Amino acid sequence: MWDPIWITVKLAFITTAILLIMGTPIAWWLARSKAWWKEGIAAVVALPIVLPPTVMGFYLLIALGPDSPIGQLSTLLFGRSLPFTFAGLVVGSVIYSMPFVIQPIRNAFDAIGERPLEVAATLRASPLDTFFSVAIPLARPGLLTGAVLGFAHTVGEFGVILMIGGNIPGETKVLSVAIYDHVEALEWGQAHILSAGLLIFSFVVILSMMVLEKKLGRRLR
Amino acid sequence: MTKPDGIVARFSGSLDAFDLSAEFTLPGKGVTALFGKSGCGKTTVLRCLAGLSHMEDSFLSVKGDVWQDGQDFIPTHKRPVGFVFQEASLFAHLTVKDNLIFGQKRAGDRGQLVHLDDIVSLLGLGDFLSRSAHNLSGGERQRVAIGRALLSGPELLLMDEPLAALDRFSKDEIIPYLERLFQSMDIPMIFVSHDMDEVEQLADYMVLMEEGAVLSCGPLKELLADPKLFIARSPKTASVIDGRIKSFDVADQLTELEIEGGSFLVPGELGDPGSHRRVRIAANDVSLASDLPSKTTILNVLPVHILGIHELDQSRVNILLSVGHNNNGSGARFLARITRRSLNAFSFATGQNIYAQVKSASMLDPHKR
């Protein structure tokens, strides 16, 4: 019973960390760029919100499979292709949870507006300096929301994981898949425990995020 | 024509459907007002000076350093410029003190030119250094923003209507700080304004703008006394005269002010002899006489020389005067506004020596010049 929990938490942490590091610059670009095609990129980022997880899982399976260029590269580097591995789950989760992290961060960057950045420039701060010492601190509520949503969303992921991760105990069997298995096997007791745990977890996460966001927002107003 | 220590600016181009073609030269010290009606491009000029806006066909040099020459464009963060925005725009995530030293920390050697303690006492910020920015009043925020700009050791301080977002009370509170600032800082400062009262009170020079172009540029008192400019057509048209305190009559409580070509009496004790003061004379408060009036309650009857008579409308004219009868018009200049009927009745003409009675003059400031 602890294996799926551990894998789920590990997956959610790694995914969130990657998304924060990768997603923040993307969100910054989406908020600041004047390129006409940027909304196209924004739409691609947002796609996982509306795309059925099975569709995404199917394409990922093909894209990462042993016959694909990515699959050949990963075979060359790691000796195997990504589907049905933990690394494969991370790739899938990063893509699937991307909009939930990037959107709130982009909104926070949008809300800062031009002025504080101009002020920083007149105070000798280079664009990179401004990004770290003005934009990031002012966008803290958005970064927090993005991290929490990304984490919670990864914890609750099911369809994509089943498609590209299979159901390998100790490797790719996460909580949501474990619950599904218990129900299939008519082990209602086990399913109850895990489901109730996830329910409470989700509630606590959302609640603490709302409280924290309110607090941070007040400080920055 | 180009003073090596001054500011030479030429901005021309189009930005967001606004055409700008502004050219001016300013001295390397003193306070300049960029004045004009809303939408005439003064803020755009200020943003171009700071490098926040980029007009392609432009040139800017400050004290001999070229900041822009067409495509060669030094970005804002590499220009030793201080900028105060209309709204204070303090960083919400920092305390007042961290806001103040934000630029100083990044300015290298120039950041050592101005000391935090001096700015704190100059602008009266001592009480709220550790507070966070949003607990301050509008006037206090603007003082912090000014201090923050100064601490970056700028070679040029730019202010975009620094008082416009403030209510009357905060304005009155901040103006003395601005005056102290203008006296104590040895750098050129340019502020944008559409309020002539502010300009008359604070500026030494003026760049007068209309519809994206510079109409005129020069010392404030010359521009205010120029009957050809649109500001001479305002109902509130006034001239300013700078003077030096000569003496104080204790019995009558009158201060005698020495001005170019004559002297001027103002009620009250205005300061120590030798210190500089500025008086504002509204054109409507001046009346003219062809001979020295023998009986009048008006204290200030100045011998003046008519430099020019300029039509204002069907019924009134502006008359440009220079103080003194025998100095070939080199005295302090000011405008008088009289009716056409009076002009004809007295048959005043350019070059004539007459007398001007100034009904009242307001002291502008305790301003060292």
Side-chain angles (χ1 to χ4, degrees), chain A residues 201-213:
Chain A
F201 165 80
S202 305
F203 176 77
V204 169
V205 161
I206 298 286
L207 182 72
S208 45
M209 184 183 82
M210 286 170 147
V211 171
L212 259 172
E213 208 177 29

Side-chain angles (χ1 to χ4, degrees), chain A residues 23-145:
Chain A
T24 307
I26 296 176
W28 179 247
W29 181 81
L30 286 174
R32 304 283 307 157
S33 168
K34 292 186 175 71
W36 60 268
W37 43 278
K38 85 169 180 187
E39 290 310 328
I41 301 289
V44 170
V45 168
L47 212 50
I49 296 179
V50 289
L51 210 58
T54 41
V55 173
M56 231 185 79
F58 171 65
Y59 282 124
L60 275 172
L61 199 58
I62 290 172
L64 304 177
D67 299 329
S68 72
I70 299 175
Q72 281 166 358
L73 185 72
S74 72
T75 311
L76 199 74
L77 293 175
F78 313 111
R80 59 183 295 191
S81 64
L82 289 170
F84 309 109
T85 65
F86 182 75
L89 287 194
V90 172
V91 172
S93 303
V94 163
I95 294 174
Y96 190 47
S97 296
M98 182 135 44
F100 298 88
V101 178
I102 288 186
Q103 200 54 48
I105 302 179
R106 178 190 172 171
N107 292 346
F109 283 146
D110 277 336
I112 292 174
E114 198 77 27
R115 188 46 51 80
L117 313 174
E118 289 189 345
V119 172
T122 66
L123 295 168
R124 312 288 172 281
S126 67
L128 191 69
D129 184 358
T130 302
F131 175 73
F132 283 111
S133 52
V134 176
I136 293 279
L138 286 178
R140 254 183 332 215
L143 285 160
L144 180 79
T145 309

Side-chain angles (χ1 to χ4, degrees), chain B residues 184-205:
Chain B
S184 59
M185 289 289 156
D186 202 25
I187 53 169
M189 299 187 235
I190 303 177
F191 74 98
V192 162
S193 180
H194 66 263
D195 178 352
M196 192 41 106
D197 292 344
E198 254 170 55
V199 175
E200 287 164 354
Q201 191 158 359
L202 298 169
D204 303 313
Y205 303 91

Side-chain angles (χ1 to χ4, degrees), chain B residues 11-297:
Chain B
F11 300 118
S12 131
S14 196
L15 205 72
D16 299 329
F18 179 79
D19 290 324
L20 184 77
S21 176
E23 198 171 342
F24 55 91
T25 318
L26 291 173
K29 59 201 298 183
V31 181
T32 301
L34 259 171
F35 181 80
K37 294 172 189 144
S38 299
C40 70
K42 6 182 235 301
T43 295
T44 309
V45 166
L46 204 71
R47 290 177 60 85
C48 285
L49 285 164
L52 292 170
S53 294
H54 185 171
M55 293 244 172
E56 304 260 306
D57 183 20
S58 300
F59 178 87
L60 170 64
S61 81
V62 175
K63 299 190 175 177
D65 296 329
V66 175
W67 288 8
Q68 183 180 2
D69 190 354
Q71 289 297 327
D72 290 335
F73 180 83
I74 297 182
T76 302
H77 69 275
K78 291 184 179 157
R79 298 183 182 196
V81 69
F83 201 105
V84 178
F85 291 85
Q86 203 175 100
E87 345 73 61
S89 313
L90 300 183
F91 294 127
H93 63 293
L94 299 176
T95 61
V96 168
K97 189 186 170 196
D98 287 335
N99 264 285
L100 283 169
I101 61 175
F102 187 95
Q104 188 181 33
K105 283 193 297 191
R106 291 166 169 81
D109 291 344
R110 293 203 65 89
Q112 306 307 311
L113 295 177
V114 186
H115 297 285
L116 180 63
D117 295 344
D118 297 340
I119 291 299
V120 167
S121 66
L122 177 73
L123 295 168
L125 305 174
D127 290 340
F128 33 81
L129 279 183
S130 59
R131 276 203 242 162
S132 115
H134 64 263
N135 290 325
L136 307 180
S137 73
E140 289 165 346
R141 283 160 168 268
Q142 200 56 288
R143 270 147 62 194
V144 175
I146 293 167
R148 179 174 67 176
L150 289 173
L151 277 163
S152 68
E155 257 176 42
L156 169 65
L157 181 67
L158 306 171
M159 297 195 268
D160 186 9
E161 307 218 27
L163 306 177
L166 304 178
D167 54 43
R168 189 70 247 173
F169 180 76
S170 310
K171 253 187 210 177
D172 292 344
E173 170 205 298
I174 203 169
I175 281 184
Y177 288 106
L178 280 181
E179 285 171 351
R180 273 165 70 187
L181 166 77
F182 291 167
Q183 289 165 35
S184 59
M185 289 289 156
D186 202 25
I187 53 169
M189 299 187 235
I190 303 177
F191 74 98
V192 162
S193 180
H194 66 263
D195 178 352
M196 192 41 106
D197 292 344
E198 254 170 55
V199 175
E200 287 164 354
Q201 191 158 359
L202 298 169
D204 303 313
Y205 303 91
M206 177 156 76
V207 175
L208 188 64
M209 291 192 64
E210 195 174 56
E211 288 171 11
V214 172
L215 280 184
S216 188
C217 159
L220 176 72
K221 48 187 179 186
E222 285 179 20
L223 265 60
L224 288 182
D226 187 342
K228 292 186 284 296
L229 298 173
F230 75 83
I231 43 179
R233 306 186 156 270
S234 151
K236 286 167 66 185
T237 295
S239 313
V240 296
I241 293 180
D242 288 332
R244 212 164 53 90
I245 294 177
K246 200 170 166 188
S247 62
F248 176 61
D249 183 334
V250 185
D252 291 340
Q253 294 285 308
L254 286 173
T255 300
E256 185 179 4
L257 212 57
E258 194 181 354
I259 60 175
E260 281 172 284
S263 70
F264 206 83
L265 290 171
V266 191
E269 184 168 10
L270 299 175
D272 300 327
S275 55
H276 292 254
R277 290 292 182 273
R278 174 178 280 184
V279 283
R280 172 185 189 274
I281 297 171
N284 281 326
D285 287 344
V286 181
S287 61
L288 304 177
S290 44
D291 302 305
L292 186 64
S294 54
K295 288 177 181 172
T296 175
T297 59

